[in-house]
Amino acid sequence: MRTYLVTGGAGFIGSNYIHYMFKKYDNEIRIINVDKLTYAGNLENLKDIEDRENYTFVKADICDSEAIMKIFDENDIDRVVHFAAESHVDRSIRNPEVFVKTNVLGTLVMLNAAKSAWELPDGTFKPDKKFLHVSTDEVYGSLEEDGGFFYETTPYDPHSPYSASKASSDMLVKSYMDTYKFPANITNCSNNYGPYQFPEKLIPLIINNALQGKKLPVYGDGKNVRDWLYVMDHAKGIDMVQEKGRLFETYNIGGHNEKQNIQIIHIILDTLQEMLPEGDPRKELVSENLITYVEDRKGHDRRYAIAPDKIKEEVGWYPETCFEDGIRLTIQWFFEHEDWMKNVTSGDYQKYYEAMYKTK
Ligand code: NAD
Ligand code: TYD
């Protein structure tokens, strides 16, 4: 049975990936999820799988090399899927240091631990061991409004402390592949949306605020463009790259779904109106009048757009969920998980995981 070590599996994409993997492979795999449980990590995201025999949660910081080495010593890890990171650009502008610690040094710890567990005396690696580093399109910088795409060959040009820290972590992974022939891949994905996304990011923030009649903050002129991908399509892409991609290669993941932020906000408002039943008091709260233009983000990248040609051609990946369906699925999920949103915004989940952790 193949054993996966997933870092950051209690966060947004990591928890969706774990759900995806158990749905796809069921009892054919084992997953060990290592997560520090920062403000963004939430064990409630994994409630429905936490009792599985083939799932283990370990609370640890990826910067803690002893704790990470211990996991490798005690388990024969076949796959590492490395999500753990500080992930929010606005936070990185306010406090860059933790981004460098977790994203850069944490990645180095993960690389060293996997290398030391997998390396043979002759400097080659045990067969069928693979490390996948989950990264972002933000490392490529910003595109002009009127054209161009990010390819795997696009030079790195990060602008925020977040993207600079992710770019540095990518470079470290690349250096391990080049220097040691360390068996790894890097994926650079566009903006994700879907269930379990923390409401500091655009889409869940707009859904949550609109339903409460709160202001919808639009940075700058609202015309910055992001390329949105439903999170389960990202999860599928990661698995496909790890199993079908060529080792040592980078793959961009994105679905050609570019939209201006203001368009996203209008789509969300329209879809909420459509989906809320007549008589629901929230229907009157959801309104375009909530849209509020605010000061622009410092160093705000204008446009991101992924060219997914390589992953389509080499790996056979394509996105299954169009934005219209994905946003409905996301809104439906938030309707059905009001408590999740309340707990996350009130901080109650912190108590939940402390209690959970003590019982493990
Ligand atoms: P997230 O902030 O929702 O989750 C991050 C997880 O990592 C949390 O569970 C957190 O507790 C954990 N974590 C943070 N610091 C840690 C540490 N020092 N040790 C152990 N665990 C730690 O982030 P996300 O949106 O799920 O992103 C996951 C990965 O995907 C990141 O590497 C991010 O750069 C990348 N990515 C995100 C997007 C996106 O749109 N969200 C797009 C492309 C790539
Ligand atoms: P975000 O979800 O933070 O993702 P990223 O910055 O990693 O792309 O932001 C997506 C876009 O939405 C980005 O251009 C910034 C903008 N934005 C707003 O206009 N208002 C907001 O309240 C937030 C959180 C983001």
Side-chain angles (χ1 to χ4, degrees):
M1 187 192 284
R2 195 184 278 161
T3 298
Y4 285 76
L5 176 57
V6 174
T7 72
F12 162 49
I13 306 176
S15 59
N16 277 288
Y17 169 81
I18 291 176
H19 284 116
Y20 174 85
M21 293 297 279
F22 279 136
K23 196 162 175 224
K24 178 166 181 196
Y25 295 103
D26 197 8
N27 289 327
E28 288 167 32
I29 58 166
R30 208 177 131 226
I31 295 182
I32 301 168
N33 171 19
V34 56
D35 197 300
K36 183 183 175 182
L37 299 178
T38 66
Y39 79 95
N42 185 351
L43 289 180
E44 243 186 284
N45 300 358
L46 298 158
K47 225 174 178 171
D48 46 342
I49 57 100
E50 71 189 10
D51 293 330
R52 292 186 74 110
E53 296 270 308
N54 54 343
Y55 170 76
T56 310
F57 173 70
V58 179
K59 185 176 186 290
D61 187 333
I62 54 162
C63 299
D64 179 349
S65 52
E66 258 179 52
I68 300 298
M69 254 339 288
K70 188 165 178 271
I71 300 173
F72 277 94
D73 287 344
E74 291 174 357
N75 301 278
D76 183 13
I77 305 291
D78 301 297
R79 300 281 185 272
V80 174
V81 184
H82 177 38
F83 293 96
E86 288 292 334
S87 68
H88 189 43
V89 174
D90 293 330
R91 285 179 188 257
S92 82
I93 294 168
R94 289 197 299 271
N95 179 20
E97 206 173 309
V98 66
F99 283 73
V100 175
K101 275 191 191 142
T102 288
N103 300 2
V104 185
L105 297 178
T107 298
L108 184 66
V109 167
M110 291 307 303
L111 288 167
N112 281 336
K115 178 175 175 287
S116 105
W118 293 346
E119 200 170 26
L120 294 166
D122 66 358
T124 63
F125 288 88
K126 292 180 187 168
D128 201 28
K129 302 289 186 191
K130 294 180 187 179
F131 187 107
L132 189 140
H133 177 62
V134 180
S135 192
T136 164
D137 60 357
E138 304 195 21
V139 298
Y140 297 122
S142 185
L143 292 163
E144 295 298 322
E145 249 160 43
D146 53 359
F149 292 98
F150 295 138
Y151 291 89
E152 288 79 359
T153 49
T154 303
Y156 276 27
D157 184 23
H159 296 134
S160 72
Y162 164 65
S163 53
S165 68
K166 291 297 291 186
S168 311
S169 65
D170 293 11
M171 293 300 173
L172 279 173
V173 178
K174 190 177 172 322
S175 77
Y176 272 55
M177 297 193 284
D178 293 347
T179 306
Y180 308 111
K181 292 278 169 284
F182 178 74
N185 287 104
I186 300 170
T187 52
N188 294 90
C189 189
S190 60
N191 284 61
N192 285 214
Y193 68 99
Y196 305 110
Q197 187 166 29
F198 196 81
E200 66 184 355
K201 304 280 168 64
L202 182 69
I203 288 184
L205 181 132
I206 297 299
I207 296 173
N208 190 35
N209 282 15
L211 287 170
Q212 295 179 70
K214 288 188 185 162
K215 287 183 179 168
L216 311 177
V218 183
Y219 299 168
D221 65 3
K223 292 186 178 157
N224 300 67
V225 170
R226 297 293 182 267
D227 181 359
W228 294 95
L229 183 71
Y230 191 61
V231 63
M232 280 300 175
D233 279 324
H234 187 188
K236 183 179 81 162
I238 288 169
D239 180 43
M240 288 181 79
V241 164
Q242 203 159 40
E243 298 319 315
K244 297 183 178 168
R246 285 181 293 140
L247 267 184
F248 315 120
E249 291 291 321
T250 288
Y251 292 90
N252 283 351
I253 309 182
H256 278 309
N257 180 49
E258 294 176 46
K259 293 208 179 343
Q260 291 179 339
N261 295 335
I262 192 69
Q263 288 179 302
I264 293 285
I265 293 172
H266 282 295
I267 293 171
I268 292 174
L269 292 174
D270 292 348
T271 315
L272 283 171
Q273 277 300 348
E274 242 179 78
M275 291 176 71
L276 283 167
E278 287 308 325
D280 190 310
R282 293 171 299 178
K283 217 171 165 76
E284 288 190 9
L285 298 175
V286 173
S287 156
E288 290 186 357
N289 297 333
L290 299 172
I291 294 175
T292 310
Y293 286 87
V294 299
E295 194 187 328
D296 206 356
R297 173 187 278 172
K298 287 187 174 64
H300 198 173
D301 287 336
R302 193 61 175 169
R303 175 174 164 255
Y304 301 147
I306 281 277
D309 308 25
K310 181 173 171 183
I311 189 172
K312 284 187 175 170
E313 276 160 30
E314 288 191 12
V315 177
W317 175 89
Y318 59 91
E320 279 174 39
T321 310
C322 68
F323 192 71
E324 211 178 47
D325 292 346
I327 202 71
R328 293 181 79 87
L329 287 170
T330 305
I331 289 173
Q332 188 60 38
W333 187 88
F334 279 111
F335 282 166
E336 286 164 10
H337 294 81
E338 274 182 47
D339 284 352
W340 182 93
M341 186 60 93
K342 276 190 199 134
N343 290 343
V344 162
T345 41
S346 74
D348 275 2
Y349 78 102
Q350 303 268 357
K351 288 179 212 145
Y352 169 82
Y353 79 63
E354 274 162 24
M356 263 287 309
Y357 180 58
K358 274 179 202 142
T359 62
K360 283 244 162 186

